[in-house]
Amino acid sequence: MNRRLFLKNTGLGLMAYPLFTKAYTKVIADKVAASDRIRLAHIGTGNMGGQHINWFSRFPDVEIVALCDVDQLRVDKAQKSLASRNPSTKIDAYTDFRHIIDRKDIDAIACATPDHWHALVAMMAFESGKDVYGEKPLSYSADEGNLMLKSLKKHDRIFQLGNHIHAGENYHRVAEIIQSGILGKINTVRLWKTGGTSGLGFPQNEAPPKNLDWDMWLGPAPYTEYTPVRCHGSFRSFFDYSGGVFADFWCHIADILYMSLSPKGLYSIDARGEAPNDGIADTPKWIDVDFKFKDLDVFWTTTPPNVDGADKMYIGAHFEGENGSLTCDYETMKIKIGNEVMNDIPEVSKTLTRSPSHQRSFLDSVKSRVQPESNLEYSREMTLPMHLALISFRLKRKLLWNSKEEKFVDDPAANFLLSRNNRKPWALTNV
Amino acid sequence: MKKTIILFAFLTISLLSFSQKETVTLFNRKDLTNWKMVPHDKPGFEVQDGILVAKPQNGSNLFSEKWYGNYIFKFEYLLSEVGNSGALIRSDPENAWGTGVEVQLLAPWTPYRDDLHCTGSMYGLVAVHNRPDETTGIWHEMEIKCDRQNVTISVDGQITTVAKIDTVKGMENKNIEGAVGFQGNHGKKGEFVKFRNISIQDFDTDPEYVAKGFYENDARFRQQAHKSAVSIGAPMIDGLTKMLSQDNVMAKAGAKQVLFDIVAQATAPDVSKLEKKNVIKALKKNLKQSKSKSVSEYLDFLQNIAESKK
C-alpha cells in the first residue's frame, strides 16, 4: 500500500463529520502518525505565500517539507521562519519549483505564484500526483482553466482555489437566503470593488537583483527587461501577468454570486474603462462591465452602485429579487423586504454544510478524495466571466458569447485572446 | 551630384510628410455645412455673397462640428466701426467660454481697451505683446496656432500673442481640444462682423506630429496623442514600432498600448477590410525589419490577433 492509498483508505473519515472538524482536530493534535500527515510544499513564498505557510503550518496533520521561490531572499526568509517554529522537520528550499514537482514524497502543494504561473504549476503538480491549493485568480487566460480541469480529471487530483472568503459563515448564509427564494426570483446582481490600477510612473529598466531569477519569474510571459514594479507586489498592474485590481478581487466577490445562483447561459459582455495614463501599468484604472446571463443581469462597477449603504463598502454584492434585495460583503449582509431591513431571516433554515476553514477543507479533501467547495470545476466557471470582461475591455467593444461552445460569436480576435502562446520552453501541453 | 540627389530625396520626403498636414477649407461660401449655431434658436450668422456675416445683436455663436486639438486655424475678418466679436478655440459649444478660450476681435473702443482685452488677446487671460492694426472696415487675417502647450496668435502676418498654457493662471482646467468657432455680433445693434477664407490645418492627423506627443510630459497631451494615433491607425505603426525599440520608457509604454489599440480597432466587425489589410501589412513589414527579440515577439502577437480567423 503506498502512502496515497493509505491516506485515501483510512481517510480519517473527515467527510462524515464536517461540522465537528475543529473539535476533532483538537483531539488528534500532536498524535498524528507520520503516515497520516500530509506532506506539503509551498511554491511562491512572498506576501500570499507567507500567509499560506502560516495557515497550513498550524495543522497537526500537515508537514511542510519544501519551499520554493524564484527570489532567494524570500525563500530563505520563509525557511528560517518556519524552521524556528518546526525545528524537528527538515525543510528544503528551492528556487526552481521543478525540484518540488520531481519529488515523490510530497502529497500536495500550495501555489502562491503570480497569476501567469498558476496553470503551469498546477498542471505539472497534477501530473506528478500532487494535489493543489492554488491562489486566485485561477489562471492567467480563459483556456488555461479548461486545460487545468482536463489535467485534474486525467490525473484524479484534488484542487481548491484560494478564495478563502468562500469558507466563511457569511457567504454560506447569504447563499442559503438567496436560494430559499424568500427574495423571489433574482433578476439583477451588482458587484463592485473600488479602486483600480495606478500608473506606477515610468521607471527605467535595470539589472534584476542577484537574488531574483527574473527569467524564471517571467516564465511563460513575454520576455521583458526588469524593473521592480513589474515584479513583487504590483505585477497585477500588467496584462502580461494578470488583469489588475479587477482580476485580483473578482474571485472574492463574484464567488458569492456563483455560490448563491450559479448563473448559466452568459451571452453578452460589455466592458468600458480606462487604463492609467501616468505610468507603464496597462490594466484597468476603472472598469465597468455589463454581463447578460439567461434570466439574469450582472453589473460590475468600480464605484459602488446607487443602493443603500453601498457607498461605504469598498467591495460588495447586491442581489435584487422580485420581493426584496440583499447587500453583502465578506462579513456582513443587509436584507431589505418592503420597508423592513434586517441582518438575517431566521425562518430560512440552514441547508448548507459549513466549511471547517478553507485550508482545512482542502486537507480533508486530500484525504477523502472528494473535491472541496471551491474546486476546479466551480472556480473555472466562476472565473471565466472575468477573463471575458478583460478581453472586452482590451478590445474596447461589446462581445457576444456562446456559452455552450465557450467561444465568442463572430469575433476571431476576441477568441484569439482566450489563450496565450507561452514563451519557450513553457508551452502548456495539451493534456 | 550624389549630394544633390540625397538632398533632393530628403526634401521630397520632408515635403511628403509635411503634405500630410493638409489644410482644409472650413467654409464653403454657400451655406453652414461643417458648422452649427449654438444656441440654435437665435440664429446669429448667415452667408451673404460668399461671406459669413454675424449681424443680429447677441445672436448665436457658431462652432465647427468637428473637434480639433492641435492646428492652425486661419481666417479673415472685418469689423464694423465699433464691432465686437471673437474666435473660439478648444471650446465645447455647450460651455464655450468655460472650456475654451476666446481670441478677441474688437474695434478700437472708447474707452480704450487694454492689451489683455484687445484684438489678438486671449481674452482676459493672455495679453498681446505686439498690438495689431485695429482699423475697422478693412479685412485682416488672423492665424491661431495651437501646438499642445503653445498657442500663438498672429494678425496680418505679425505674431501678437504667445502663450504657454500651463503657465497661464486661469487655464488649468481649459479643454485641450474642442470646436473652433466665432462669437456672434457682441457689439451694439447694427454693428457686425464678417469672415471669409476660413481654413484649418489639423496637426493631429499627421503621424509625425502625433508621434511627438508620446514624449510629452503632460499626461493630457500624451493621452491626446494616443487617441489621435489610434484614429490614424495603420500609418502610425512604423513610428510606434520605432518607439518600442528606443529607451524612452514613457513613449515605449504609450506605443505598446496604442499598437494594441490600433490592432483591436482593426479587428472590430464594423471596420473596413482595407484598414485591416493595411494594419497587417504594416505589422509584417516592421516584424521583418525588427532587430529586437522582444519587439518581434510583440509584433508577432499583434499580427496573430489581427490575422485570427474563425
Side-chain angles (χ1 to χ4, degrees):
Chain A
M1 188 185 279
N2 63 23
R3 270 182 53 75
R4 169 68 47 206
L5 217 59
F6 178 80
L7 281 173
K8 186 177 175 179
N9 290 349
T10 53
L12 296 183
L14 286 178
M15 280 313 279
Y17 317 96
L19 292 168
F20 307 110
T21 313
K22 260 185 192 160
Y24 191 84
T25 308
K26 266 181 198 152
V27 172
I28 62 169
D30 303 325
K31 292 195 222 163
V32 183
S35 57
D36 291 342
R37 280 186 224 139
I38 294 169
R39 289 171 67 81
L40 183 68
H42 290 270
I43 299 175
T45 63
N47 300 333
M48 201 60 217
Q51 288 255 43
H52 282 184
I53 296 169
N54 281 338
W55 286 332
F56 282 110
S57 63
R58 295 206 173 103
F59 294 108
D61 56 342
V62 168
E63 205 169 3
I64 300 174
V65 295
L67 303 171
C68 173
D69 199 290
V70 293
D71 187 333
Q72 185 80 53
L73 288 181
R74 284 189 159 197
V75 76
D76 286 350
K77 193 179 148 202
Q79 186 190 33
K80 216 170 152 188
S81 140
L82 189 60
S84 69
R85 281 178 287 160
N86 299 15
S88 57
T89 312
K90 179 178 176 289
I91 307 153
D92 296 302
Y94 305 105
T95 56
D96 186 330
F97 75 102
R98 287 171 292 192
H99 290 297
I100 288 174
I101 300 296
D102 287 346
R103 274 174 66 164
K104 302 270 182 285
D105 65 323
I106 291 172
D107 301 312
I109 63 145
C111 175
T113 64
D115 309 4
H116 62 286
W117 266 113
H118 287 175
L120 267 163
V121 169
M123 285 166 67
M124 287 169 78
F126 293 157
E127 208 180 349
S128 68
K130 297 171 182 66
D131 298 323
V132 177
Y133 181 95
E135 257 319 309
K136 45 96 216 162
L138 180 68
S139 59
Y140 170 79
S141 74
D143 272 4
E144 284 176 346
N146 301 337
L147 295 173
M148 287 169 86
L149 186 56
K150 258 198 212 167
S151 167
L152 173 107
K153 286 180 176 164
K154 181 176 170 189
H155 300 291
D156 194 19
R157 291 296 100 206
I158 294 294
F159 180 89
Q160 170 104 302
L161 187 71
N163 51 335
H164 59 274
I165 314 296
H166 189 102
E169 169 62 24
N170 198 50
Y171 273 19
H172 283 81
R173 189 61 186 151
V174 167
E176 272 166 354
I177 290 168
I178 298 293
Q179 286 167 6
S180 77
I182 199 157
L183 301 178
K185 195 183 138 349
I186 305 292
N187 44 49
T188 304
V189 176
R190 299 177 191 280
L191 306 172
W192 71 95
K193 164 75 186 81
T194 59
T197 299
S198 53
L200 304 173
F202 299 101
Q204 292 295 329
N205 293 326
E206 51 188 82
K210 285 206 177 72
N211 50 291
L212 176 71
D213 186 346
W214 175 237
D215 192 71
M216 192 67 169
W217 188 93
L218 285 171
Y223 181 78
T224 181
E225 282 182 73
Y226 173 81
T227 192
V229 295
R230 294 190 82 91
C231 192
H232 301 329
S234 45
F235 64 86
R236 283 219 172 84
S237 311
F238 300 89
F239 271 125
D240 280 349
Y241 322 119
S242 181
V245 171
F246 176 67
D248 196 0
F249 283 87
W250 170 269
C251 292
H252 280 319
I253 199 68
D255 191 17
I256 190 56
L257 162 67
Y258 274 80
M259 211 172 156
S260 306
L261 291 170
S262 49
K264 301 286 176 202
L266 177 63
Y267 65 91
S268 166
I269 305 102
D270 188 4
R272 299 164 299 281
E274 273 177 294
N277 64 0
D278 54 352
I280 58 175
D282 58 1
T283 54
K285 181 169 73 176
W286 66 271
I287 178 169
D288 289 353
V289 196
D290 304 347
F291 298 96
K292 301 254 181 217
F293 290 85
K294 185 176 175 287
D295 306 324
L296 180 74
D297 289 347
V298 175
F299 300 101
W300 173 282
T301 49
T302 301
T303 47
N306 190 16
V307 298
D308 260 4
D311 56 334
K312 290 179 194 74
M313 297 158 73
Y314 80 96
I315 192 164
H318 175 78
F319 296 80
E320 290 168 23
E322 286 165 325
N323 307 329
S325 68
L326 185 153
T327 313
C328 71
D329 57 13
Y330 298 165
E331 304 281 343
T332 68
M333 76 173 103
K334 199 170 81 180
I335 305 148
K336 210 172 159 186
I337 299 175
N339 290 327
E340 217 179 325
V341 178
M342 58 215 110
N343 296 321
D344 193 11
I345 304 175
E347 292 77 29
V348 173
S349 53
K350 227 171 172 175
T351 50
L352 299 173
T353 305
R354 297 310 192 253
S355 167
S357 95
H358 212 53
Q359 295 75 36
R360 183 68 251 169
S361 118
F362 167 70
L363 298 169
D364 292 350
S365 289
V366 168
K367 294 180 176 177
S368 70
R369 309 315 293 165
V370 178
Q371 294 293 348
E373 276 187 82
S374 198
N375 58 65
L376 192 37
E377 197 147 11
Y378 170 83
S379 52
R380 189 200 75 86
E381 201 174 331
M382 187 259 284
T383 312
L384 184 61
M386 174 202 96
H387 291 296
L388 310 187
L390 287 170
I391 294 171
S392 173
F393 171 89
R394 296 187 79 184
L395 292 177
K396 296 184 165 62
R397 58 182 177 254
K398 179 178 167 179
L399 299 170
L400 298 179
W401 179 249
N402 179 333
S403 63
K404 282 207 183 82
E405 289 176 22
E406 296 205 340
K407 289 280 172 209
F408 290 107
V409 180
D410 295 332
D411 200 322
N415 281 325
F416 178 83
L417 292 172
L418 290 169
S419 59
R420 168 163 79 181
N421 294 326
N422 284 353
R423 189 169 67 107
K424 282 174 194 162
W426 299 110
L428 277 164
T429 43
N430 274 312
V431 283
Chain B
M1 184 61 194
K2 206 174 175 185
K3 267 185 187 166
T4 323
I5 291 171
I6 291 168
L7 185 70
F8 182 73
F10 179 74
L11 275 175
T12 317
I13 290 164
S14 17
L15 280 174
L16 275 176
S17 60
F18 190 72
S19 72
Q20 277 169 313
K21 285 191 207 165
E22 206 184 338
T23 300
V24 177
T25 302
L26 275 183
F27 173 51
N28 67 8
R29 298 162 56 104
K30 282 180 234 132
D31 54 36
L32 295 180
T33 308
N34 302 328
W35 299 91
K36 61 173 181 184
M37 290 193 264
V38 181
H40 68 278
D41 56 342
K42 284 198 295 178
F45 285 80
E46 57 181 357
V47 181
Q48 285 175 4
D49 304 324
I51 287 172
L52 181 62
V53 183
K55 192 148 191 192
Q57 192 193 19
N58 292 325
S60 67
N61 304 307
L62 187 72
F63 294 95
S64 64
E65 273 168 351
K66 222 180 127 182
W67 282 31
Y68 304 90
N70 303 293
Y71 50 80
I72 294 174
F73 178 38
K74 213 167 166 179
F75 56 90
E76 290 176 49
Y77 64 93
L78 180 152
L79 287 161
S80 62
E81 200 177 339
V82 285
N84 180 3
S85 179
L88 289 147
I89 53 170
R90 290 176 171 172
S91 218
D92 178 349
E94 297 308 317
N95 176 19
W97 275 260
T99 56
V101 170
E102 180 193 348
V103 179
Q104 178 71 314
L105 299 173
L106 188 70
W109 272 11
T110 312
Y112 184 76
R113 276 294 185 91
D114 64 16
D115 289 351
L116 193 57
H117 301 89
C118 70
T119 294
S121 66
M122 292 166 74
Y123 191 82
L125 295 166
V126 182
V128 298
H129 64 80
N130 174 26
R131 196 141 174 162
D133 175 16
E134 294 163 292
T135 313
T136 55
I138 61 167
W139 287 100
H140 297 279
E141 185 189 69
M142 179 173 273
E143 185 181 292
I144 305 168
K145 184 179 175 188
C146 292
D147 173 13
R148 304 203 168 98
Q149 296 281 9
N150 303 298
V151 178
T152 311
I153 299 157
S154 310
V155 177
D156 300 329
Q158 302 290 317
I159 293 177
T160 62
T161 321
V162 174
K164 193 157 182 300
I165 63 173
D166 59 348
T167 63
V168 179
K169 214 180 153 200
M171 286 198 72
E172 301 85 359
N173 299 316
K174 295 286 188 185
N175 279 7
I176 58 165
E177 59 200 24
V180 291
F182 297 115
Q183 189 180 32
N185 168 27
H186 197 50
K188 289 191 180 123
K189 209 174 167 191
E191 298 299 321
F192 61 85
V193 56
K194 294 178 176 181
F195 299 98
R196 68 180 186 192
N197 293 329
I198 306 162
S199 69
I200 196 156
Q201 187 183 355
D202 184 358
F203 297 166
D204 295 318
T205 57
D206 171 22
E208 239 175 83
Y209 181 85
V210 168
K212 283 187 192 125
F214 281 61
Y215 300 84
E216 273 285 332
N217 284 319
D218 185 329
R220 293 177 310 157
F221 286 107
R222 223 163 45 234
Q223 202 168 20
Q224 184 183 57
H226 294 173
K227 207 177 86 186
S228 303
V230 175
S231 72
I232 290 172
M236 284 304 304
I237 291 177
D238 290 356
L240 296 177
T241 308
K242 249 178 240 147
M243 271 181 228
L244 281 186
S245 14
Q246 287 166 359
D247 285 338
N248 187 304
V249 179
M250 195 166 72
K252 215 172 179 169
K256 192 177 173 212
Q257 180 69 58
V258 170
L259 278 168
F260 187 94
D261 293 346
I262 288 173
V263 169
Q265 179 181 253
T267 61
D270 53 344
V271 161
S272 78
K273 276 185 183 157
L274 182 69
E275 171 65 9
K276 190 169 160 180
K277 214 178 108 188
N278 288 339
V279 165
I280 293 170
K281 210 170 122 189
L283 289 171
K284 278 186 173 162
K285 183 186 119 190
N286 281 286
L287 185 58
K288 223 182 217 173
Q289 292 168 356
S290 167
K291 289 187 187 79
S292 143
K293 197 166 167 250
S294 57
V295 172
S296 299
E297 273 172 10
Y298 190 57
L299 293 173
D300 185 56
F301 164 67
L302 294 176
Q303 195 190 320
N304 281 330
I305 298 174
E307 288 190 314
S308 51
K309 297 201 172 67
K310 260 180 211 173

